[in-house]
Amino acid sequence: MRQNDDADQIAVIGLSCRLPQADSSARLWELLRDGVDAITSLPPGRWQKRLSEDAELICERGGFLDRVDQFDADFFGISPREAAAMDPQQRLALELGWELLENGGITPERIAALRAGVFVGAMNDDYATLTRQRSSEAVSHHTLAGLQRSMIANRLSYLLGVNGPSLTVDSGQSSSLVAVHMACQSLRAGECEIALAGGVNLNLSFDGTLSVSRFGGLSPDGRCYTFDARANGYVRGEGGGFVLLKPLAQALRDGDHIHGVLRGSAVNNGGGDSLTTPSQQAQEDVLRRAYTAAGVRPEDIQYVELHGTGTAVGDPIEAAALATVLGSARPADAPLQVGSAKTNIGHLEGAAGIVGLLKVLLSLEAGELPASLNFETPNPDIPLADWHLQVQTERSPWPRPDVPLVAGVSSFGLGGTNAHVVVEQAPRVEPAEVVDGGPGQVGVVAGGGVVPWALSGRSAAGLRAQAVRLREFVTSSDASLASAGYSLVSSRAGLEHRAVVLGSDREELLAGLEAVAVGEPAEGVVSGVRREGASDVVFVFPGQGAQWAGMAVELLDSSPVFAERFG
């Protein structure tokens, strides 16, 4: 593998997503790992009335989110009237952006001090269609900002108070991966120090799905048969995802948790070949450009996450381009593994590329490749064996786990704009020292000391919800108690309603979380509301006679950090 300039490599230091049956990156991995088919019938309240009136729609099934009409406007400082006028894609982007920073260990105060960019892919505006179908009384002074697609990115920049580039990218179905490419370019050019990049897509309008149906894009079966002989169109999906990006060298200096490295990427267009039919020549070109930019030999690629819509025209063209650029560079007994997340959750259109990128990043971290669903017999126009390609039909380790793991992600737009990103596993770094007892002792604090877990929320209900989420996380993981406490203090915003749970072992801390979750007082739990203008001072030694004999002796014995500072 030929190395490119380290300064060009971009680290992924945070992930967030809201997808069908997967409201976090951890649950997305569970869905992929277990081969879950998340395609369902139309949820209540969407467009059943229109569906009953218009029989032209080929298939109403899809990958849907629950409760897309619900939004905690008060949390984001937005009035109910303004929130009702906002495209739910804006609201989803706000939620995902906030969760992204938390997962990346960056507080709003820290992000505001950086030159941060926001790059969001989105191609649909169903909510604008629905609003305009109502009477003119539905239009208010909030409507323009609520429906303008540029505001999907701009409102997130406004929320965070960041001044870097802020763009909503629309290149059709490749929008979110193009947004990632643009974010990487902006970081390399020094336009921003950190970037939030991803995409959102919500299928709210009957007319939006009807247009895809009449175009001939939908599968009558409600399935995406990627590279299969049954390929007859795709099934629509919705949701969104984001990645938090930073130059690799800086991420290593900052000690960030790195999920993977974006080594290089490329974007192009098919030009005059065809407006709506994919160009094999253009796809070959974008692949070559991406791997040249990444400094990676084609034979070193172990897996490609396909655009893979499951269409009779698109699949053979994509396979032929891969065979020419990547398949021909490898021996027949080491075929290139390929697959598509669209077989699990549907085609997220403007947000499809970010889903593929998240899938690859999670696969790299897990050291496993999940199965691509709905594949039985190869499309007769895709001679897989001859082209040295193989559909990943079952969960397995990576083909060559002994060498650096490298994969590609493709995303192609209807108008011919193609994107490809080259992703490598995160560099190995020495783990930080565990404070509370080391491996096998994560449930007990060393020396019998006490660990504080700090929680906060905009409201009492929000605080209780945080306690529930933290309790679910702790009970399903073996996270270090002290590390969890440190993360809660250093990487979470300090909101108005607060609680601190104190405990010397896992059971005590879980009991305290349970008390906070139900809003009841308990030993080892301190709660309250932060007063306006309150300072951040937490320890005061005034020297005015408030001390007593033996004061802080227990803390000296149980807290090495306190003892070091005190001494």
Side-chain angles (χ1 to χ4, degrees):
M1 184 182 300
R2 180 172 61 84
Q3 296 293 322
N4 64 344
D5 187 346
D6 286 349
D8 289 338
Q9 297 183 38
I10 305 298
V12 180
I13 64 169
L15 312 173
S16 68
C17 68
R18 194 77 52 76
L19 297 166
Q21 299 183 32
D23 60 1
S24 67
S25 58
R27 289 187 173 149
L28 173 59
W29 175 246
E30 292 173 2
L31 179 147
L32 295 168
R33 179 198 64 198
D34 298 340
V36 174
D37 181 348
I39 305 304
T40 63
S41 296
L42 185 69
R46 287 296 177 102
W47 20 267
Q48 276 86 356
K49 185 174 184 295
R50 287 289 307 276
L51 185 64
S52 65
E53 295 171 350
D54 194 327
E56 287 189 66
L57 193 64
I58 290 178
C59 182
E60 88 284 0
R61 288 172 60 79
F64 297 104
L65 295 186
D66 295 327
R67 302 183 297 277
V68 294
D69 58 326
Q70 297 182 17
F71 177 64
D72 189 351
D74 186 58
F75 180 88
F76 294 103
I78 297 172
S79 71
R81 190 181 298 273
E82 184 176 8
M86 287 169 57
D87 184 339
Q89 292 181 134
Q90 289 188 31
R91 307 191 316 222
L92 179 59
L94 291 180
E95 293 168 342
L96 290 172
W98 187 274
E99 291 172 8
L100 181 71
L101 294 187
E102 287 194 336
N103 294 337
I106 296 181
T107 63
E109 292 79 13
R110 285 179 58 199
I111 196 76
L114 300 172
R115 185 164 179 80
V118 177
F119 302 80
V120 185
M123 61 174 276
N124 294 322
D125 53 3
D126 286 18
Y127 200 66
T129 299
L130 294 174
T131 300
R132 290 165 185 145
Q133 286 174 349
R134 300 169 62 192
S135 68
S136 60
E137 295 179 359
V139 179
S140 71
H141 70 284
H142 294 302
T143 301
L144 181 63
L147 300 183
Q148 189 167 302
R149 206 180 309 167
S150 64
M151 287 291 184
I152 298 174
N154 297 162
R155 198 180 287 270
L156 183 52
S157 295
Y158 173 77
L159 169 73
L160 302 176
V162 297
N163 304 115
S166 182
L167 308 172
T168 301
V169 180
D170 183 359
S171 61
Q173 290 80 353
S174 59
S175 297
S176 61
L177 206 62
V178 171
V180 171
H181 168 80
M182 295 177 68
C184 292
Q185 297 293 74
S186 183
L187 287 164
R188 293 181 182 115
E191 293 178 335
C192 53
E193 301 169 86
I194 195 168
L196 297 80
V200 291
N201 186 65
L202 293 175
N203 302 322
L204 307 176
S205 164
F206 174 83
D207 291 330
T209 298
L210 182 62
S211 66
V212 179
S213 180
R214 287 182 176 174
F215 178 76
L218 286 186
S219 165
D221 304 329
R223 291 286 185 275
C224 183
Y225 298 109
T226 300
F227 279 23
D228 192 89
R230 297 167 292 171
N232 57 3
Y234 66 84
V235 57
R236 300 187 81 197
E238 64 181 7
F242 276 81
V243 289
L244 188 60
L245 306 176
K246 182 189 284 190
L248 175 60
Q250 187 62 49
L252 290 170
R253 283 195 293 270
D254 293 344
D256 294 314
H257 173 74
I258 300 174
H259 298 274
V261 176
L262 308 186
R263 290 186 58 91
S265 57
V267 169
N268 73 357
N269 189 276
D273 287 357
S274 173
L275 182 63
T276 59
T277 301
S279 164
Q280 180 179 331
Q281 182 178 358
Q283 290 184 18
E284 291 176 10
D285 177 69
V286 81
L287 290 168
R288 290 191 180 99
R289 289 179 179 274
Y291 290 106
T292 298
V296 173
R297 299 176 304 178
E299 59 266 34
D300 291 322
I301 306 304
Q302 297 196 40
Y303 175 80
V304 167
E305 176 65 14
L306 303 166
H307 182 61
T309 52
T311 57
V313 174
D315 280 7
I317 291 173
E318 180 173 10
L322 282 172
T324 301
V325 178
L326 300 179
S328 61
R330 58 204 318 116
D333 61 352
L336 176 68
Q337 301 297 122
V338 299
S340 174
K342 294 177 179 66
T343 61
N344 298 92
I345 61 174
H347 187 354
L348 266 72
E349 298 169 347
I354 192 66
V355 175
L357 179 57
L358 290 170
K359 175 182 173 180
V360 165
L361 288 165
L362 294 169
S363 299
L364 288 169
E365 286 198 286
E368 293 182 340
L369 290 171
S372 190
L373 308 183
N374 306 329
F375 182 83
E376 293 178 359
T377 305
N379 185 315
D381 294 325
I382 305 178
L384 291 172
D386 294 343
W387 287 355
H388 302 172
L389 305 176
Q390 182 173 322
V391 176
Q392 181 74 22
T393 57
E394 59 184 22
R395 174 182 161 198
S396 72
W398 285 68
R400 290 178 292 157
D402 56 318
V403 299
L405 305 182
V406 187
V409 183
S410 289
S411 193
F412 309 139
L414 180 64
T417 297
N418 307 308
H420 191 81
V421 174
V422 185
V423 191
E424 186 175 18
Q425 69 183 132
R428 288 183 171 84
V429 294
E430 290 298 321
E433 181 181 354
V434 178
V435 177
D436 59 332
Q441 301 181 45
V442 293
V444 179
V445 180
V450 174
V451 165
W453 281 357
L455 301 91
S456 68
R458 293 278 188 215
S459 63
L463 178 63
R464 292 194 297 270
Q466 287 297 314
V468 171
R469 291 186 63 186
L470 181 57
R471 195 176 194 283
E472 290 175 351
F473 168 75
V474 173
T475 55
S476 63
S477 74
D478 60 353
S480 157
L481 302 183
S483 294
Y486 175 79
S487 296
L488 288 167
V489 171
S490 64
S491 63
R492 296 292 186 271
L495 305 177
E496 294 88 343
H497 290 257
R498 301 182 177 186
V500 176
V501 176
L502 303 170
S504 58
D505 58 35
R506 186 178 297 271
E507 287 68 30
E508 289 183 2
L509 289 162
L510 287 174
L513 288 177
E514 180 64 28
V516 176
V518 298
E520 294 181 352
E523 184 178 354
V525 175
V526 180
S527 61
V529 180
R530 187 179 191 270
R531 296 192 307 274
E532 189 71 28
S535 71
D536 293 327
V537 175
V538 294
F539 267 117
V540 177
F541 293 90
Q544 301 296 320
Q547 65 273 18
W548 60 87
M551 182 176 181
V553 168
E554 290 184 2
L555 197 56
L556 281 169
D557 293 337
S558 63
S559 174
V561 175
F562 181 83
E564 180 183 353
R565 296 295 189 276
F566 192 80

